[in-house]
Amino acid sequence: MANYKKIGIMGGTFDPVHYGHLVLAEQVRSNLRLDCIYFVPSGDPPHKTDKVITDKYLRYEMVLLATVDNPRFDILDTELKSDKKNYTIDSIREIKKDLGINDKIYFITGADQILNIESWKDYKTLLRENVFIGASRPGYAEDELYKKISMLKKELHANIIHIEVPALAISSTDIRNRIREGNTIRYLLPESVEQYIYKHKLYK
Ligand code: ATP
Ligand code: MG
């Protein structure tokens, strides 16, 4: 892995991972001719958050199942190692150090994340140190995304690339709700992940 030059990083909760994530990562890889995309599942947030998230190791295993058949996808446990809250800026620095990368990495996000970027720790530095990908996502207005990206470029000299991906109106939230309601999730995520969810009785 050490000799890869153009690296993409796909962060997320992946609770669970679905085809929206995989299509996004693959499209960015192809458009930008990246050598490898690393999926980086988030750790479990410290107590006192109102959102209940599936155990980090189960989420990690689902990402593993979902990415194993793509030789240009890999997975990193950077954010699973500590029980503290992980911030993207710190994780990226750690990943670069571990992989011996000096170049900028390509950090992949969907529209909802870019629209909310001001809430991220040290977001100005984060945007300066890396190339960001802002992908369109169903449910988030395209013109809002354009406006936001040009504002960040103009005011912060951020390097943000807008990418259009095949529109998949899939979200982990919707998948969790469907399972709770006994609705189908088939074709929204890889079959191996679907079977894993049933085996471990997740999202009931
Ligand atoms: P949740 O509903 O729990 O927030 P999610 O589907 O948004 O789950 P995340 O793990 O939060 O999945 O997202 C990881 C990254 O993938 C984010 O940058 C998000 O914007 C992006 N993403 C997720 N689903 C899609 C999709 N269908 N199209 C484009 N981008 C997506
Ligand atoms: Mg999300």
Side-chain angles (χ1 to χ4, degrees), residues 10-21 24 51 107-114 120 135-138 140 165-174 176:
M10 173 84 196
T13 318
F14 304 119
D15 193 15
V17 62
H18 54 69
Y19 280 130
H21 300 128
L24 168 57
K51 222 179 137 203
F107 191 83
I108 304 166
T109 62
D112 53 308
Q113 304 283 42
I114 288 293
W120 293 29
S136 17
R137 179 172 186 180
Y140 298 88
V165 296
L168 294 179
I170 305 175
S171 72
S172 303
T173 302
D174 179 54
R176 295 192 300 272

Side-chain angles (χ1 to χ4, degrees), residues 4-110:
Y4 279 129
K5 283 195 193 80
K6 287 176 84 180
I7 299 292
I9 292 184
M10 173 84 196
T13 318
F14 304 119
D15 193 15
V17 62
H18 54 69
Y19 280 130
H21 300 128
L22 297 169
V23 165
L24 168 57
E26 176 66 5
Q27 192 63 60
V28 172
R29 186 199 64 71
S30 172
N31 284 25
L32 301 180
R33 306 281 183 267
L34 302 186
D35 296 298
C36 178
I37 308 281
Y38 288 102
F39 284 68
V40 183
S42 66
D44 294 335
H47 304 292
K48 266 178 63 184
T49 53
D50 43 2
K51 222 179 137 203
V52 180
I53 294 182
T54 307
D55 177 83
K56 56 188 177 185
Y57 298 108
L58 297 177
R59 291 185 287 108
Y60 179 91
E61 277 192 318
M62 289 192 277
V63 176
L64 194 62
L65 288 171
T67 54
V68 71
D69 61 354
N70 186 331
R72 297 216 178 258
F73 284 177
D74 211 334
I75 174 168
L76 293 174
D77 64 359
T78 314
E79 298 203 343
L80 306 190
K81 289 181 270 183
S82 96
D83 288 327
K84 280 186 284 172
K85 176 152 176 48
N86 290 282
Y87 293 99
T88 300
I89 189 158
D90 305 322
S91 300
I92 293 179
R93 284 176 180 164
E94 192 180 332
I95 290 168
K96 281 182 171 176
K97 207 170 124 217
D98 287 352
L99 298 175
I101 297 168
N102 296 316
D103 301 333
K104 293 192 172 191
I105 58 86
Y106 297 77
F107 191 83
I108 304 166
T109 62

